Amino acid sequence: MSDSAANPNDLRRQLPAVDQLLNHPRFEASRREHGDGLVIRAIRTTLAEWRRRLGDPAMSPLPTIDEAALLAAVERALAAEARLNVRAVFNLTGTVIHTNLGRSPLSEAAIDAVVQAARHPVALEYDLDKGRRGDRDRLVEGLLIELTGAEAATVVNNNAAAVLLALTALGAGREAVISRGEMIEIGGAFRMPDVMTAAGCRLVEVGATNRTHGRDFRQALGDDSGLIVKAHTSNYAITGFTSSVPEAELATIARDHGIPFMIDLGSGALTDFRELGLPHEARPGEAIAAGADLVTFSGDKLLGGPQAGIVVGKRELIERLKQHPLKRALRCDKLTLAALEATLRCYRDSAEPARHLPTLAMLSRGVDEIDAQAARLLPRMQAALDGVAEVVTRACRSQLGSGSLPVDRLDSRALVMRCTEGPALARLERTLRALPRPVIGRLHEGALWLDLRCLCREADERSFLAQLSGIQSLWRATP
C-alpha cells in the first residue's frame, strides 16, 4: 500500500486525475495546436513532479493544492515539451564561427532555396534536358569549377568526409607523405594520422615539427608512395625558426614521381579577405593555381554556407572519388545542395558577398558600429539587471572560430556583467540561457561577457531587447 493511500490526509490524494486536467478549458487551445498526446505528457510530467515534492518530508506541509499553481506548472511543462531541441540562440561568445552553435548562419537566398527544396520534389538526380537519371553533383559542380578554376568538383557531407574519401580513393594500401608539422588535430578529435589509418594509408612523416624542406619529401618518396598531402594548419600556428615547402614545389615533386598532390584547406574562403579588412586566408583557387591535384575545404566555415565537404581538382581524380563506394555513403541531401548552390551563386553573381552572407558580414563588421550598439544596449541591460549585476562595456577581441586564422583577433565590444558573489555569476549565466531565445556568452576574469560582434542584424537586436524584461522573473526562478 502506498503512503498516500495509507494516509487520507496526504495531499497527493488531492491531485486531479490526468483526464480532469486534460479537459480543463485552459488547455483547449493547446490540444488544438499540439494534439492530446503532447498535452498528456506535460500533465503526467507535472503530476509526477508534484507527487515527488508533496511526498518529500523535508518540504513544508501545504494546507491544500493550489490549482492555479498546478495549472501554471502544466503550462510550463507543455511549453518545454513543445519546444524544439534545435533552438535559435544569440551567439555572443566572441567566436563567430562557433561549432557548438551551428557554425555559419545561411543567407536569405540559401534559406529560400532550402524551403523550396523541402516543400517540393526537385530535380536532384534527374537530368531535365535528357529526361533521365543524372548526377546530383552537377547542381553545384559548374559553380565550383567557375569559382576555383578546377577541372571538376564533388561534394560530401563535411570536410572530414572529404579528406577520408580522397585518402581512401587515392591512397588506400599505399603511403601518404605529409610534413610532421602538419599532423593536425581539430575539434572533435579529428586527427590526420587517425583519418589516414582509417583510409587504409600508411602514414609517412617527413621533416621536423618546425621545419620541413623539399628534399625531405624527395628522399621519402618511393615505389609505395600513393600521394603527397598538405594540411592547412588552420587551428594553430608555429612561429619562430620555421620553414615549409611551398605548394608549387610540392606539386612539382609529386608530378615528378607520378603521384597526386592533395591539399586540405580546412576552412576554405572563396573571397579575398584582405578586401574585407581581414587577414589573408588561403583560397581553393590559389591552391589549384599552385598545382594541387585535389583541394578539400568546408562549406560551413569561411564560405558561409551549409555543412559540406567540397573537393575540387583534376577531372580524372574527381571521377575516381565519385566512383568509390564511400561516395554514396557520404553524399549530401537535397537541402544541403540547395543551400550550397545559393551560397555559391552569391559569390559568383555579387560584387559584395559580405552584404548577403551573414558570416562575412559579422567578420567584417567595423568596431565603431559595434561601439555604437554597445552604447544603445548598455542602459537597457543595466535596467534589466538592476539589483542582479553591474553592467559595463569593455573592449574585447573576437575570434573567427572553427580553426580559421587561429592567431588573429578582431576588435569588438562587449557588455560585461559582474555579480558581487561568485556563485551568482553562474546563476546569471543560467538565467540568460533560460530566456526564450537563449543568450550564450563567455565567462572571463570573473565576469560574464557578451561580445556584440554577432548581434549585427537589426531584427536580432530588437529580439534581444524584447526579452530583457523577463530576466528578473527568470532570475528569481533560477536556482
Side-chain angles (χ1 to χ4, degrees), residues 244-291:
S244 60
V245 186
E247 294 173 356
E249 183 178 350
L250 285 176
T252 299
I253 294 171
R255 193 162 51 247
D256 290 345
H257 287 78
I259 59 176
F261 170 40
M262 166 185 159
I263 299 178
D264 172 28
L265 281 184
S267 291
L270 282 184
T271 192
D272 189 342
F273 270 39
R274 290 167 295 193
E275 296 178 358
L276 302 176
L278 298 168
H280 177 258
E281 173 74 7
R283 290 179 286 169
E286 295 170 341
I288 293 293

Side-chain angles (χ1 to χ4, degrees), residues 170-176 200-203 222-227 258-260:
L170 304 182
R174 306 187 71 187
E175 295 174 345
C201 300
R202 298 195 300 277
L203 169 65
D223 293 339
D224 287 338
S225 300
L227 74 164
I259 59 176

